[in-house]
Amino acid sequence: MNENDLPDASPISDAQRLRRWRLVLGREADEACGTLSGELKEMDQALSALYDPTGPGGLGAKERRGGREASAPSVARWLGDIRKYFPGQVVQVMQRDALERLNMRDMLLQPEMLKSMQPDVHLVANLIALSKVIPAKTRDTARMVVRSVVDALLAKLEEPMRSAVSGALDRSQRNRRPRHSEIDWNRTIRANLRHWQPDYRTIVPQTLHGYGRKARRPQREVILCIDQSGSMAASVVYSSIFGAVMASLPAVSTRLVVFDTAVVDLSDQLDDPVELLFGVQLGGGTDINGAVSYCQSIIREPRNTIMVLISDLYEGGVEAQLLRRANELVESGVQFITLLALSDEGAPSYDHALAAKLAALGVPSFACTPDAFPGLMAAAIRRDDIHAWAATQGMVTSPKAR
């Protein structure tokens, strides 16, 4: 019996058979079986990363060198790739093989080793990606490592985010009869300098300037729509931190949505970014249209809504429908912004053509660092020209399609 005699097996051509053997044998079989291209080439790279770990792109290549550099994001990206190209049962086998072959099990089984590693955003991304296979005895240590990184990021980013967003909101609604707690002292003093009283060495203000009184309902609605494919791992971590900070501001209604081929609304977990991150499933395909469709359905006040799509724009869904929805959102008054990355990793890889089409509809697309994100949100709240704001920050927005 051969493979064509198996029940329900469709006959395969010689070319297909050669491609299968090439995937089994690896790149050494290029001459005998021919080279691969397209999706098959990407599948081969995912296989080689595991079963030839010291070769180009191998998961084990960097771990075998000395040094104290930050951990590489390759594990999270690789986990995303295998979920995209292989069925669930195969993914489970490959994950188990990775734990054994790349000594990742040693890290996960020994809390001491995990504690000794340099904690950073990429280590968090890898732990989140492996969360379903982390042994029970190490799970608390993994959560502790994630918590330490989240706390460090909050200490660095929370105050700039709060100040930027609160300041932009306060200054959008001034009043001339403020209560004491609402007085903008800087503006009040400047406006009343002519009322300086030398004898008393003080100013007697004739006019008070105040911030806008706190609204009984949120002044802005913010939706963070995050691509959770493996290549966006660092962006997911930073987005979760910023989402948690904004959710703590009563003047902002914040929603956080993650997606691959499915859409998950994690807004109810924004009070604890660690729990939120462990609810993320890094990897899989990408259906941006489906995610934008969901976000569109939860918008209540378009002209008070800021929607930030964080994605490399490699769309696996229906691009034409995505562009139609983007146009509807912009026309309705939503401030729609696309971030090709929210990380410190430099220029991202992204779909330039789709970014240009979105730009033509009025959706600016550019990469943003975590340090610049609070300023971006403040600019969006003030309804500034985001293209102009990005230019002042040295960020290159995607050119409009011709």
Side-chain angles (χ1 to χ4, degrees), residues 165 169 216-224 242-256 265 267 270 298-301 304-308 377 381:
V165 172
L169 286 168
R216 294 183 179 179
R217 59 188 180 85
Q219 300 174 38
R220 294 287 188 278
E221 296 183 5
V222 177
I223 300 174
L224 301 179
F242 285 124
V245 174
M246 286 192 291
S248 68
L249 301 174
V252 179
S253 172
T254 305
R255 305 289 294 267
L256 188 141
D265 193 329
S267 304
L270 280 169
I298 62 175
I299 292 174
R300 295 172 297 179
E301 297 184 33
N304 275 332
T305 298
I306 302 164
M307 179 172 162
V308 183
M377 295 309 300
I381 288 170

Side-chain angles (χ1 to χ4, degrees), residues 263-274:
V263 180
V264 182
D265 193 329
L266 297 177
S267 304
D268 60 349
Q269 298 181 37
L270 280 169
D271 59 332
D272 188 341
V274 174

Side-chain angles (χ1 to χ4, degrees), residues 281-295:
Q281 179 62 65
L282 289 171
T286 309
D287 184 359
I288 306 173
N289 174 57
V292 172
S293 173
Y294 173 79
C295 293

